Amino acid sequence: MTTDSDREVYLDHHATTPVDEQVLQAMEPYFTEHYGNPASKANHSFGHAASNRIEQAREQVAKGIGARAGGEAVAKSIIFTSGATESDNLAIRGLAKHAQKNDLGSHIITSRIEHEAVLEPCKYLEEKGFDVTYLPVDKYGQVDPATVRDAIQDDTFLVSIMAANNEIGTINPIKEIGSVVRDYEDIWFHTDAVQAVGAVDIDVNEMGIDLMSISGHKIYGPKGIGALYVDLKIKNKIEPLQLGGGHESGKRSGTPNVPGIVGLAEALELATENREKRVEHVQGLRDQLWNRLSNELDNVVLNGHPEDRLPNNLNVSFPNVNVKELVRMSLTDHGVMAALGSACASGEDTSHVLEQITDDQERIQGAVRFGLGKDLTEEDIEYAADAVIEEVQLTESIFG
Ligand SMILES: *Cc1c(COP(=O)(O)O)cnc(C)c1O
């Protein structure tokens, strides 16, 4: 066996990423030194300092996603939340509440391969009398913008389509979907861009995005912090889900997570500044891993789009291999960490995403997700490829 007992190779960067050293350093003073409550800004300098830093972070985030007007970052379009799950809920349920109150329609369009943080709020709204269309995807997991246009009804008020899929890495034609939605004045476009940020050049203005969810821990920032971008034209339409002291302009009450906010802003800034370099690096590693697996294994299938995919995503099926055992036992023994389908839906029996792109049960049951990260080396990938190939061949020789 090619065990190298000390080596650990983490290939699960879609589930979460480590906090970047530079991000951690930026956060640190906001735990111990500048610990004032930003809501106390009028009372003393500690509160004032915290509040100032949050406003600076808001501007950093707005800038990072292209939220500008007249060349200036539109800081007010950013609402800080506890993560993308909350951002997705606030966007969808917050607008649904507004639509219901003001009789603006009750129909939502989304896709069948969204993250649970979008699907579950949609299901919840169906129970409350809303009507939801779940668009199918093609064999690569892409939403066709024409299907969005065809699904629009008189009572549609929201379209929510993810920018990139967290399981198979497929990138959606967000700009084209945004332009379809833009033709309708009273329909809003939300996108869950958690996985796309840092990998794809996101520009909310250019892409016609009205609302967008992002998360800190998927981009080398801390867990438990996220943001919702909301175009200022509709910000007053979002009904808060959490009531209290009226923080975040009344849209999200609760004392802001100051160090988390600083971490998210720094992580996003670094992701934007270093995007090209990081993309090139992880894509190289991804291709290296795919070349090894596809050259040395007889039976391995790529899931997702061959080109329009996240540079750090490799989702493959090993038909006839018990991948639960492969991932949880064999690879773990080698210190190689990968994922089955999606970590967020680990309770699921089969991936709701793979089920939408194929009927082949062996392919669905045999899927493994490798999520590459910026700090991995070619050596790490060689080691991981050796382990995967060895273990897959071993099961094949037993069962084949
Ligand atoms: C991780 C993830 C989420 C949830 O983000 P949290 O910040 O962990 O709540 C939502 N959508 C996608 C696509 C994700 O990958």
Side-chain angles (χ1 to χ4, degrees), residues 37 44 52 63 70 87 114 156 178 201 204 218 232 253 262-263 282 286 293 303 328 332 349 351 363 389 394:
N37 187 329
H44 47 66
N52 272 355
K63 211 171 135 199
S87 300
E114 295 297 312
T156 306
D201 187 11
V204 290
K218 306 289 176 82
L232 286 190
S253 285
V262 171
V282 292
R286 198 260 320 269
L293 301 184
N303 297 314
R328 294 185 177 161
T332 297
D349 277 347
S351 152
R363 192 170 148 206
I389 291 163
L394 206 63

Side-chain angles (χ1 to χ4, degrees), residues 100-179:
Q100 193 165 43
K101 254 193 197 167
N102 297 280
D103 218 5
L104 299 176
S106 57
H107 179 235
I108 298 170
I109 299 169
T110 186
S111 86
R112 295 184 191 166
I113 64 158
E114 295 297 312
H115 190 274
E116 289 71 17
V118 166
L119 291 175
E120 290 299 321
C122 285
K123 271 197 231 162
Y124 167 85
L125 289 173
E126 279 183 295
E127 283 167 23
K128 302 280 167 200
F130 286 82
D131 179 19
V132 181
T133 299
Y134 298 91
L135 294 174
V137 292
D138 68 12
K139 63 178 175 179
Y140 299 128
Q142 243 173 10
V143 173
D144 179 351
T147 63
V148 176
R149 191 183 293 279
D150 291 345
I152 289 174
Q153 306 174 1
D154 287 344
D155 59 346
T156 306
F157 67 93
L158 177 66
V159 172
S160 179
I161 305 285
M162 74 196 322
N165 186 268
N166 48 299
E167 290 188 38
I168 56 174
T170 299
I171 297 169
N172 270 320
I174 288 303
K175 193 176 174 183
E176 288 71 18
I177 296 170
S179 107

Side-chain angles (χ1 to χ4, degrees), residues 32 56 63 109 134 182 192 211 224 229 297 351 353 393:
T32 49
Q56 187 197 334
K63 211 171 135 199
I109 299 169
Y134 298 91
R182 224 172 225 179
D192 176 330
L211 307 107
Y229 158 79
L297 292 171
S351 152
V353 176
Q393 280 174 342

Side-chain angles (χ1 to χ4, degrees), residues 14 83-85 88 115 117 162 166 192 194-195 215 217-218 344:
H14 300 297
T85 300
D88 287 343
H115 190 274
M162 74 196 322
N166 48 299
D192 176 330
V194 172
Q195 299 285 344
S215 176
H217 74 107
K218 306 289 176 82
C344 308

